Amino acid sequence: MKKISFLLILIPVLFYSCNSAPEKKKVSTVPKVASRDLKGFTIVYYSNDSIKQNFLYSKEQVAIVTRNQKAFQTELERRTSELQQYIQRNSEKQMNGLLSENEVAQIQQKAQQMEQAVMQYQQVEGAKIEEETMKKLEEVSKKIEVLGKKYCELHKIDLMLIHGDGGQLNYVNPSMDVTKEFIAFLNENQASIENDLKK
């Protein structure tokens, strides 16, 4: 009888212990970041729009890209206009009954070839322009990055931020603005790293 009563007590205990979930350890939400004394920590920023407008190398590269884009657009418009004039000229001849069926077929074939040539020019040259633009922007960005590091090392700056429209910085105290000085540094030193970037 004692065995049965012992089992009656033991069964609920076993059942409860099997069905209850193990206690989860609480995970700390406190970040494991070493605290630092920020006295003497120097943070500055520059205006990205001002760099684009006043960094001479950037302006030169943008001018080259813009000139090439305009030349591409002008040539594309010329070819498109030539195609439209060809079609219009021959449509008028056809409406006036000046073309045979054989001539109409030849004109349609030539118009299709011209249209394909325009599309091919647009795709191939457009891709070249886009690639060149990306390359120029990367070159400018790389120069700013390399010179930015030198500028910070020279002036013992711990953190340099970029401020501009659509950027991630909503507000920065104007006393931290080094845009004018940084642009002067960029313009004075950009030629000195030309060889380093080509390696």
Side-chain angles (χ1 to χ4, degrees):
M1 188 73 173
K2 286 183 181 178
K3 284 184 181 180
I4 292 174
S5 62
F6 176 74
L7 285 173
L8 288 174
I9 295 171
L10 185 62
I11 290 173
V13 170
L14 287 172
F15 182 74
Y16 178 76
S17 65
C18 290
N19 286 336
S20 64
E23 262 188 56
K24 292 182 180 178
K25 288 184 180 179
K26 258 192 166 176
V27 179
S28 174
T29 58
V30 178
K32 295 178 182 176
V33 177
S35 61
R36 291 183 172 87
D37 179 9
L38 296 180
K39 291 179 183 172
F41 189 79
T42 306
I43 302 173
V44 299
Y45 79 91
Y46 65 84
S47 167
N48 199 33
D49 293 337
S50 293
I51 295 289
K52 290 176 187 174
Q53 294 169 1
N54 299 304
F55 178 28
L56 299 178
Y57 181 76
S58 177
K59 286 173 68 172
E60 290 167 4
Q61 299 310 305
V62 169
I64 290 168
V65 167
T66 302
R67 186 173 57 243
N68 291 344
Q69 286 174 339
K70 284 182 181 176
F72 164 72
Q73 193 63 37
T74 300
E75 179 61 16
L76 182 61
E77 288 170 5
R78 185 194 67 75
R79 290 178 182 220
T80 303
S81 176
E82 187 179 284
L83 171 62
Q84 290 170 345
Q85 288 173 9
Y86 180 79
I87 292 170
Q88 184 178 357
R89 222 177 22 249
N90 288 295
S91 292
E92 289 171 4
K93 287 181 184 178
Q94 184 181 9
M95 289 175 68
N96 292 329
L98 300 174
L99 298 173
S100 67
E101 286 184 30
N102 190 29
E103 289 173 321
V104 170
Q106 289 174 350
I107 289 168
Q108 287 175 342
Q109 185 178 6
K110 183 175 179 182
Q112 287 176 346
Q113 290 171 348
M114 289 173 74
E115 185 177 19
Q116 287 174 353
V118 168
M119 288 173 59
Q120 185 176 4
Y121 174 80
Q122 185 175 12
Q123 290 173 349
V124 172
E125 294 303 315
K128 284 181 186 176
I129 293 290
E130 190 175 331
E131 185 180 333
E132 179 194 29
T133 300
M134 291 304 295
K135 186 178 175 188
K136 296 282 185 197
L137 293 176
E138 285 173 14
E139 287 174 5
V140 170
S141 180
K142 189 66 179 170
K143 277 196 180 220
I144 292 171
E145 181 185 338
V146 170
L147 287 170
K149 182 180 180 206
K150 284 187 176 185
Y151 185 77
C152 289
E153 289 170 350
L154 181 66
H155 298 289
K156 296 180 176 47
I157 295 169
D158 298 294
L159 182 64
M160 180 184 274
L161 305 171
I162 304 169
H163 188 273
D165 291 340
Q168 296 181 354
L169 303 175
N170 185 12
Y171 172 77
V172 185
N173 187 318
S175 67
M176 298 167 66
D177 187 358
V178 296
T179 304
K180 184 179 174 184
E181 296 83 357
F182 186 49
I183 289 171
F185 181 82
L186 289 173
N187 288 331
E188 287 171 11
N189 293 282
Q190 72 91 17
S192 67
I193 63 161
E194 197 75 38
N195 292 332
D196 295 340
L197 291 174
K198 288 180 181 176
K199 290 178 183 176

